[in-house]
Amino acid sequence: MRNFAIAKVYATAVLELAREKGELAELLRDLEAFAALLEESSELQSAFYSPEASSAAKARILDQIFPDAESVLSLLFLKTLVRKNRESAFGDILSMIGRLRDEEEGILLGTLFSATELAEGELQGVESQLGEEHGKQVKLEHEVDGSLLSGMILRMESHTIDGSLKTRLRRMKNRLMAADLGKE
């Protein structure tokens, strides 16, 4: 997440405001719909993210896209991003909104790094096992890390569990170096 601090500030603010107005579900649907439109349309991406396009032009585009937005807050939020030149943070803000909601609902988030792609169902198996251990739902992102020889590294909240071969070999080397081998 490139704009972590910015994303957290905006996500927190819009979530609080949506709750106050009783429009949280509507806001989330609108923002997801806008994200889907951005994904589908390279023309919209160019217009929305263009540094050359004025804030007023972008606001007019948003008005055309959201004539019947479920939440008035959705349009105001997107126009605020445009006015503050924070359009590039939209994806990160949307991700942060999801993270904050997951945290509020007691869902544990994390990332599982492995040397290779996981077989079908392996990630869900790890999530299920961790969920049983912690008594909560667990959602993991998966990333392939080519620097790992074998094994996995799990990062959840502020904890890291390193079961990689690289780390095991380093620990073994350190134990061997520290041992008094050959001395009688």
Side-chain angles (χ1 to χ4, degrees):
M1 193 175 285
R2 298 176 313 223
N3 303 305
F4 180 82
I6 292 167
K8 189 163 188 177
V9 169
Y10 278 87
T12 302
V14 76
L15 283 173
E16 286 177 17
L17 198 55
R19 279 192 200 92
E20 284 176 23
K21 294 195 174 286
E23 298 181 7
L24 183 59
E26 294 85 353
L27 170 84
L28 296 174
R29 279 193 296 271
D30 285 346
L31 294 181
E32 289 291 339
F34 182 68
L37 285 173
L38 273 175
E39 182 75 25
E40 294 169 6
S41 172
S42 59
E43 290 175 5
L44 181 57
Q45 287 175 26
S46 295
F48 185 67
Y49 294 120
S50 171
E52 289 88 29
S54 70
S55 296
K58 292 178 183 183
R60 284 191 298 277
I61 291 169
L62 291 170
D63 284 331
Q64 291 172 0
I65 292 172
F66 283 111
D68 301 319
E70 289 189 58
S71 169
V72 174
L73 184 57
S74 307
L75 186 56
L76 293 173
F77 175 67
L78 290 169
K79 285 182 177 182
T80 299
L81 290 182
V82 166
R83 192 176 65 253
K84 300 281 188 179
N85 294 316
R86 298 289 191 199
E87 308 90 76
S88 65
F90 174 71
D92 291 337
I93 293 167
L94 194 57
S95 294
M96 183 59 70
I97 287 171
R99 282 184 169 191
L100 293 173
R101 294 241 8 244
D102 287 343
E103 287 175 12
E104 290 169 2
E105 294 173 4
I107 297 171
L108 294 175
L109 303 172
T111 306
L112 183 67
F113 300 90
S114 64
T116 60
E117 284 293 332
L118 297 178
E120 189 173 324
E122 280 185 305
L123 186 62
Q124 292 81 7
V126 172
E127 289 173 335
S128 177
Q129 184 176 355
L130 289 169
E132 288 175 19
E133 289 176 19
H134 293 279
K136 295 183 177 184
Q137 183 180 356
V138 175
K139 285 186 182 178
L140 297 176
E141 293 180 16
H142 175 249
E143 293 185 24
V144 174
D145 182 345
S147 72
L148 298 176
L149 302 172
S150 178
M152 297 179 191
I153 297 173
L154 173 65
R155 289 197 182 119
M156 275 182 20
E157 296 177 340
S158 60
H159 304 298
T160 299
I161 300 169
D162 190 340
S164 67
L165 179 59
K166 185 177 179 179
T167 297
R168 286 189 229 152
L169 290 172
R170 187 181 69 244
R171 286 181 188 148
M172 184 184 301
K173 175 185 171 190
N174 290 342
R175 282 194 303 265
L176 289 171
M177 298 293 283
D180 264 344
L181 296 178
K183 293 189 178 179
E184 297 175 28

